[in-house]
Amino acid sequence: MWYDPFKSIIRRDEPLAMHTWFQAGGMAEFYAQPETQTQAAELVAAASEADIPIRLLGEGSNVLIRNDGVSGLVISLDSPEFQKIVIEGNCIKAGAAARLGRVVTTAVHAGLAGLEDFIGVPGSVGGALHVHVAANMTKVSRCLRSTTEMDFQGNTFAKSAEELATTYQDKSLNSLIILEATFELEPDDPKTLAQQMQKRWILKKSQQPMSFQCCGRIFKSPTGASAGELIDRAGLKGARIGGAVISERHANYIIAEPECSSEDIIRLIDLVRDQVHKRTDVLLDLELEIW
Ligand SMILES: Cc1cc2nc3c(=O)[nH]c(=O)nc-3n(C[C@H](O)[C@H](O)[C@H](O)COP(=O)(O)OP(=O)(O)OC[C@H]3O[C@@H](n4cnc5c(N)ncnc54)[C@H](O)[C@@H]3O)c2cc1C
């Protein structure tokens, strides 16, 4: 079988709920955690050769797994090789599986400014770049200098800031694995930066569900409006289907209570989209990915 050489890093029928923030949903047919870049290259090449669909999973903060699960191969890069964070002059280089929050605090403590807006945003560097995360009107690509990526045939290549600007426009990041990213930052006083970061962190925490709650952010904010405010205006704070509830703290988040199923969340998403459309004439676009 195509997966025979990877038996030490691959699992069949892996429950994905525990790998996502919603903690709901079914299994991955194959789940692998490569330990090195070479192993990752050999794995994706073998899976592609066997026509096995490939998906990358970061911290699972923007993904909802359907009850039926995912066919094909789900890859997590959550191994030490892909979690490294290194300061090089004014730059910070981070592996795809490094937590975005840890990259921010490392930069701030080293007196490097530019990433503080992203404190409190969950997820990995790979996920943040793929989704093109934004916080406080700042996009994660703003300070991005280069990336190292891999295609599904296992070829690795570097991308410059100019190439990345085009990539972000045509969304071609979809069929690529982000392995590493380098951000170019500005020297600043670490104490002042730490204070600014702390203020943002407190604000961010107050605008999202409590950290012990299983949850997900659902819709993109349409131009000139806030998805949370539109949902709130439609009177949907606290709306519930089964174990899925619209957060009272911020209406663009769904909380998954214990026993919540992915189907509950999907039905609540449909209800919110429908009600907001009826009451405000705005059709909300999903930010969350449903696998
Ligand atoms: C409480 C909360 C607060 C949030 N606040 C914000 C916010 O302020 N701003 C914002 O923009 N978003 C926010 N989000 C959404 C979420 O945090 C981001 O989308 C995050 O960047 C996703 O990263 P992840 O590692 O969890 O990716 P995942 O959810 O695991 O995956 C997301 C996508 O990235 C892809 N991906 C992951 N790793 C890689 C890789 N190495 N190479 C290629 N593709 C990859 C996956 O295939 C998937 O398509 C929030 C979510 C929650 C739950």
Side-chain angles (χ1 to χ4, degrees):
M1 296 300 281
W2 70 271
Y3 52 83
D4 285 342
F6 308 103
K7 278 190 172 146
S8 62
I9 54 157
I10 215 160
R11 298 200 283 270
R12 292 205 72 160
D13 298 331
E14 169 80 356
L16 287 179
M18 61 188 175
H19 298 291
T20 68
W21 273 56
F22 271 124
Q23 298 202 1
M27 292 186 275
E29 186 181 3
F30 301 102
Y31 179 86
Q33 222 168 310
E35 282 158 12
T36 63
Q37 200 167 302
T38 309
Q39 211 172 36
E42 287 167 0
L43 175 72
V44 291
S48 294
E49 179 72 27
D51 272 339
I52 302 293
I54 300 170
R55 290 176 186 270
L56 264 290
L57 186 63
E59 298 256 326
S61 64
N62 202 46
V63 168
L64 172 65
I65 311 294
R66 287 179 195 276
N67 290 348
D68 291 349
V70 178
S71 57
L73 172 65
V74 173
I75 299 177
S76 159
L77 296 179
D78 205 13
S79 307
E81 165 98 354
F82 303 104
Q83 291 168 338
K84 291 179 193 152
I85 301 175
V86 182
I87 304 267
E88 288 173 354
N90 288 350
C91 291
I92 189 161
K93 194 189 271 188
R99 285 210 172 145
L100 186 60
R102 210 158 68 78
V103 179
V104 177
T105 50
T106 307
V108 163
H109 292 146
L112 293 174
L115 290 173
E116 315 78 74
D117 281 318
F118 300 100
I119 194 69
V121 177
S124 61
V125 166
L129 291 178
H130 181 92
V131 170
H132 206 188
V133 151
N136 297 316
M137 317 289 279
T138 307
K139 295 202 163 154
V140 74
S141 55
R142 193 188 61 170
C143 312
L144 193 58
R145 184 186 188 188
S146 61
T147 54
T148 307
E149 295 175 19
M150 184 185 281
D151 63 21
F152 285 174
Q153 281 64 53
N155 307 304
T156 306
F157 47 91
K159 263 198 197 150
S160 66
E162 295 75 38
E163 287 170 298
L164 287 164
T166 328
T167 306
Y168 275 122
Q169 275 159 23
D170 70 11
K171 301 262 181 237
S172 63
L173 272 177
N174 283 350
S175 53
L176 294 168
I177 301 169
I178 297 155
L179 297 172
E180 188 180 76
T182 302
F183 299 92
E184 191 166 358
L185 306 171
E186 293 289 327
D188 208 327
D189 173 45
K191 268 194 187 154
T192 318
L193 282 177
Q195 280 165 356
Q196 288 167 354
M197 179 181 74
Q198 227 166 359
K199 276 189 199 152
R200 288 193 175 115
W201 190 82
I202 291 167
L203 186 68
K204 173 79 176 140
K205 289 280 163 190
S206 70
Q207 293 170 340
Q208 60 190 36
M210 311 286 266
S211 51
F212 63 84
Q213 290 176 307
C214 302
C215 64
R217 212 165 88 132
I218 310 304
F219 296 105
K220 292 178 187 157
S221 281
T223 315
S226 142
E229 276 170 29
L230 290 168
I231 300 167
D232 195 3
R233 254 198 275 152
L236 292 167
K237 263 193 179 170
R240 161 191 295 275
I241 290 185
V245 188
I246 299 292
S247 168
E248 292 281 359
R249 289 184 113 194
H250 191 304
N252 197 22
Y253 291 87
I254 289 180
I255 313 268
E257 294 185 339
E259 310 307 323
C260 175
S261 73
S262 296
E263 200 46 43
D264 293 342
I265 299 168
I266 292 170
R267 283 172 55 216
L268 186 56
I269 290 172
D270 290 343
L271 175 113
V272 170
R273 194 196 267 122
D274 189 48
Q275 292 290 312
V276 169
H277 190 216
K278 273 189 190 138
R279 295 183 200 188
T280 66
D281 212 26
V282 177
L283 197 53
L284 290 171
D285 254 355
L286 262 192
E287 175 176 277
L288 183 75
E289 288 181 34
I290 303 179
W291 288 8

